[in-house]
Each structure stands twice: as structure tokens, then as C-alpha cells.
């Protein structure tokens, strides 16, 4: 697999990680699904 | 300038998976820390839970576990990302530096956001938060600066730099041999404290990252030697080492068993060690840096009708000719490697 494809996959993984962090935070702080 | 070796450097799948898990975890933990810090700053910047004291301001629900989980989880995932990133190479091998810059950049932004950009109108800019924010951003910038050499060391530069092709001091024998020991696959190449492992990436048509890195470093050293006007003897010594590595790579490429392609492990099992005769003498007809790759009589145009294994052998022949043309392989090393590959080709037909 080429380095460029690997880099794209890693950027996608980082984006998913950020999204997962937001979901986990909202879930643990009890604000998941609650409108601000 | 110079020729290309065809495809870009390969990234092992297991290393990529480790890097993806590590970097995704890093991002997740960093997000947890970032959001937790904002939640605490929303209530004034300080809070407490538990302990024998009267708590003036409790922490927002869940922020204790998100903050601790983010910190310790982040350390764990940075470790995983560093392991995987080392196999991906380039800037991705700097996971701790990336994590450092992202952490201090994100937290610095929080300080500046709450203390400067969105400071309460009644209190104005908070000098303490502003100083913290600036300091954090300076620390983040330090991590980014440290990443620059990693980005510049991307292995793809080897294909275009051509520095290795301009080796001086041809025609002189090496003082020490290169020892290549094989135990099926991978193949380990060692000389004068330099050791590199040729994995099945070679069989897949790529130069391994380790050897590519060694060659890149060698090219830079030679370029510096030329620029700084070092003595002819020093350049000759560097050229001998360069030729040795070129020969080792060529031999390793020829000896790496094709079983890795087909999944058959029977043909190259067993351990052996061979001392490769090294002349360190690239051909006198090697083109200068910047010259287009010479057409070799042994090169074979890839045909789409070939099987995967045959195509890999043909690709290997092309790379060998390319390395010979660039002066990385001597005539003897080239012929030895070519003969081995041709024998495999004949065996396949």
C-alpha cells in the first residue's frame, strides 16, 4: 500500500477519533441527546 | 531528476492498522481532554470532587472520568501510534510530536478563547489566561518545528533526489564485506553497524523502508561531503559504503524467496549465511545525476497478461537495471542478481 493512501486512511482515522471523543464526552457527561 | 523505481514505497498493513488505531485513539483522548477543559472553564476554571474538604464548586458531571481517561488513554494511544507510525514512516513516525503539538495547541486555544477572544465584557481580557494560551501555543509550535525533519525525510524523495546516483570515488574495493543472512524471509543485511531487514515488501515490488532510509541518509551525507569540500579520501570511503549498500540491496532482492508471493513457504526454508563479495565498483558507464535512466537490454516491458508473480520478477529486473544505471550496483552484483531472477522466471515458465 502506498504512503499516500496510508496517509488518507490515517487522516480519516483521526477524524473518526475526534468524532468518537465527542460522542463519549457527551455520553459520559450526561448531555448526550439533550438539546443545549 | 534521475530515474524512478516505479511504485512508491510500501506500507505494511499491520503497521498501518496499528497507526490508525493509535492516531484515532489519540484524537479521541485529545477531544475528551479538550472538551473537559472547556466544561471546567465554563464554571470558572476550577472545581473539585471528593476528599475530606468542603467542595466550593463541584466538577461538571462526568468530567472527572473524561479528563483522567483522556490523559492516561492518550499516553497509551500515543505509544501505539508511535509503534504503527514508525512502520508507516514519514511524518507519521512522529506520533509523540504530533500529540504534543495537538495537545498544547488545543488547550492553548481554550485559554485564548476564554481569556481573550470570548472574554466576558465586564472583566475584559484575562491576562493570566492570555499568557497561558500564548505559552501553550509556543510549546505546540516547538512540536511542529520538530516534525519538519520527519516530513522532509519522506522516503519518496529517494526516487526523485538522484543524490545517490552522483556517487564519487568509483572503482575502489570495499574493505569489509557485507553479510547477508537469510532464514527464508525476511533477509537481514548488516555492515559496519548498519543493519536493515528486507521484508516481504521487497517481494511485493517495493524497497523496504529501512533500506530506503539508509540510502537516503547516505545520499545526504555524500551531498554534504561534496558541499563542504571534504577530502577525496573521505568521499571515496563514503562511495564505497554506498556501493556496498547497493550491492546488498540487489542481492537481497534476488535472494528473497518468491514463496512469499504465492504463499508457498517450501522453496526457501532453512537458514543460511552468505558473505557477499563486494567490489564497491559501480560501472564506469553509469550516468551522471540528472541523466534519464538508460535503457537496459535486460529490461522487459510489463505485460498485463503476466501473472502476479511473474510481473513481480519483471519489476525486480527493472529495478536492478535501474540501480546498476545509477551506480548502486556493480556489474558483478547485477549479473548475479539477474541470473537468479532469470532462473526463477524460467522455472515459472
Amino acid at each position: 500500500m502506498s504512503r499516500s493512501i496510508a496517509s488518507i486512511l490515517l487522516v480519516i482515522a483521526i477524524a473518526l477519533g475526534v468524532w468518537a471523543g465527542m460522542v463519549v464526552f457527551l455520553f459520559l457527561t450526561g448531555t448526550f441527546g439533550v438539546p443545549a | 531528476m534521475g530515474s524512478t523505481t516505479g511504485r512508491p514505497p510500501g506500507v505494511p498493513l499491520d503497521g498501518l492498522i496499528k497507526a490508525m488505531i493509535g492516531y484515532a485513539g489519540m484524537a479521541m483522548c485529545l477531544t475528551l481532554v479538550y472538551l473537559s477543559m472547556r466544561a471546567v472553564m465554563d464554571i470558572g476554571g476550577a472545581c473539585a470532587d471528593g476528599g475530606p474538604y468542603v467542595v466550593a464548586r463541584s466538577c461538571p458531571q462526568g468530567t472527572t472520568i473524561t479528563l483522567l481517561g483522556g490523559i492516561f488513554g492518550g499516553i497509551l494511544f500515543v505509544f501505539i501510534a508511535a509503534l504503527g507510525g514508525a512502520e508507516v514512516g514519514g511524518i507519521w513516525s512522529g506520533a509523540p510530536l504530533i500529540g504534543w503539538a495537538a495537545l498544547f495547541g488545543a488547550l492553548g486555544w481554550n485559554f485564548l478563547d476564554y481569556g481573550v477572544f470570548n472574554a466576558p465584557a465586564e472583566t475584559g481580557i484575562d491576562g493570566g489566561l492570555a499568557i497561558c494560551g500564548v505559552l501553550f501555543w509556543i510549546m505546540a509550535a516547538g512540536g511542529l518545528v520538530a516534525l519538519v525533519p520527519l516530513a522532509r525525510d519522506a522516503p519518496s524523495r529517494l526516487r526523485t533526489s538522484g543524490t545517490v546516483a552522483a556517487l564519487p570515488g568509483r572503482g575502489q574495493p570495499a574493505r569489509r564485506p557485507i553479510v547477508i543472512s537469510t532464514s527464508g524471509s525476511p533477509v537481514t543485511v548488516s555492515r559496519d553497524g548498519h543493519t536493515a531487514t528486507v521484508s516481504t515488501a521487497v517481494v511485493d515490488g517495493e524497497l523496504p523502508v529501512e533500506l530506503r532510509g539508509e540510502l537516503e541518509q547516505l545520499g545526504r551525507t555524500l551531498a554534504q561531503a561534496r558541499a563542504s569540500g571534504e577530502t577525496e579520501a573521505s568521499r571515496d570511503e563514503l562511495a564505497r559504503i554506498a556501493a556496498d549498500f547497493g550491492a546488498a540491496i540487489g542481492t537481497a532482492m534476488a535472494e528473497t524467496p518468491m514463496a512469499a508471493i504465492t504463499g508457498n513457504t517450501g522453496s526457501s526454508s532453512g537458514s543460511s549465511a552468505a558473505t557477499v563479495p563486494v567490489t564497491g565498483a559501480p560501472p564506469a558507464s553509469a550516468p551522471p545525476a540528472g541523466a534519464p535512466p538508460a535503457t537496459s537490454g535486460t529490461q522487459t516491458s510489463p505485460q498485463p497478461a503476466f501473472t502476479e508473480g511473474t510481473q513481480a520478477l519483471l519489476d525486480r529486473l527493472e529495478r536492478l537495471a535501474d540501480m546498476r544505471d545509477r551506480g548502486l550496483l556493480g556489474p558483478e552484483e547485477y549479473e548475479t542478481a539477474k541470473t537468479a531472477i532469470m532462473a526463477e522466471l524460467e522455472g515459472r515458465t
Side-chain angles (χ1 to χ4, degrees), chain B residues 250-313:
Chain B
T251 307
M253 290 169 69
E255 291 183 352
T256 303
M258 291 302 297
I261 290 181
T262 61
N264 176 16
T265 57
S267 62
S268 298
S269 59
S271 299
S272 63
T275 300
V276 180
V278 176
T279 64
S285 59
T295 302
S296 170
T298 59
Q299 287 181 325
T300 307
S301 299
Q303 299 294 327
F306 292 146
T307 64
E308 181 182 355
T310 303
Q311 185 62 58
L313 285 170

Side-chain angles (χ1 to χ4, degrees), chain B residues 41-283:
Chain B
M41 294 187 81
D42 279 337
I43 60 169
C47 65
D49 275 326
Y53 307 105
V54 176
V55 175
R57 186 182 295 119
S58 293
C59 293
Q61 177 189 351
T63 52
T64 303
I65 189 171
T66 56
L67 199 54
L68 291 177
I71 292 172
F72 291 106
I75 294 173
L76 172 67
F77 281 114
V78 164
F79 182 70
I80 296 174
L83 290 179
E87 297 189 46
V88 176
I91 198 171
W92 299 108
S93 59
L97 291 174
I98 293 174
W100 171 281
L103 176 66
F104 284 102
L107 301 191
W109 162 255
N110 278 347
F111 281 125
L112 293 174
D113 189 29
Y114 279 82
V116 179
F117 304 132
N118 289 309
E122 60 271 18
T123 58
I125 292 177
D126 188 322
L129 292 181
I131 291 174
C132 287
V134 171
L135 286 177
F136 270 48
W137 273 11
I138 291 174
M139 294 173 72
L144 291 177
V145 170
L147 275 172
V148 171
L150 292 177
R152 294 179 63 185
D153 282 347
S156 58
R157 292 186 68 221
L158 178 68
R159 302 193 311 276
T160 56
S161 66
T163 52
V164 178
L167 302 178
R170 292 170 179 160
Q172 299 187 20
R175 290 180 304 180
R176 301 182 195 176
I178 297 175
V179 175
I180 297 182
S181 61
T182 62
S183 178
S185 180
V187 179
T188 299
V189 181
S190 301
R191 184 185 187 276
D192 293 351
H194 296 276
T195 301
T197 300
V198 181
S199 66
T200 53
V202 168
V203 183
D204 292 333
E206 313 290 355
L207 267 183
V209 172
E210 298 88 350
L211 287 178
R212 195 182 297 275
E214 295 276 6
L215 278 174
E216 282 185 12
Q217 180 61 41
L218 198 54
R220 285 192 294 272
T221 305
L222 287 168
Q224 290 169 3
R226 285 195 299 273
S228 62
E230 290 191 14
T231 63
E232 186 69 24
S234 299
R235 290 199 297 272
D236 289 348
E237 174 63 18
L238 288 169
R240 280 197 291 272
I241 296 174
D244 289 354
F245 267 109
I249 290 172
T251 307
M253 290 169 69
E255 291 183 352
T256 303
M258 291 302 297
I261 290 181
T262 61
N264 176 16
T265 57
S267 62
S268 298
S269 59
S271 299
S272 63
T275 300
V276 180
V278 176
T279 64

Side-chain angles (χ1 to χ4, degrees), chain A residues 8-30:
Chain A
I8 292 171
L9 291 175
L10 284 167
V11 170
I12 293 173
I14 290 173
L16 286 175
V18 172
W19 174 81
M22 294 173 67
V23 170
V24 169
F25 179 83
L26 293 175
F27 183 78
L28 291 178
T29 56

Side-chain angles (χ1 to χ4, degrees), chain B residues 18-60:
Chain B
K18 269 190 291 189
M20 289 179 68
I21 293 173
Y23 276 102
M26 275 174 58
M28 183 183 73
C29 293
L30 188 63
T31 304
L32 286 175
V33 173
Y34 171 83
L35 293 175
S36 302
M37 177 180 172
R38 293 182 73 86
V40 173
M41 294 187 81
D42 279 337
I43 60 169
C47 65
D49 275 326
Y53 307 105
V54 176
V55 175
R57 186 182 295 119
S58 293
C59 293

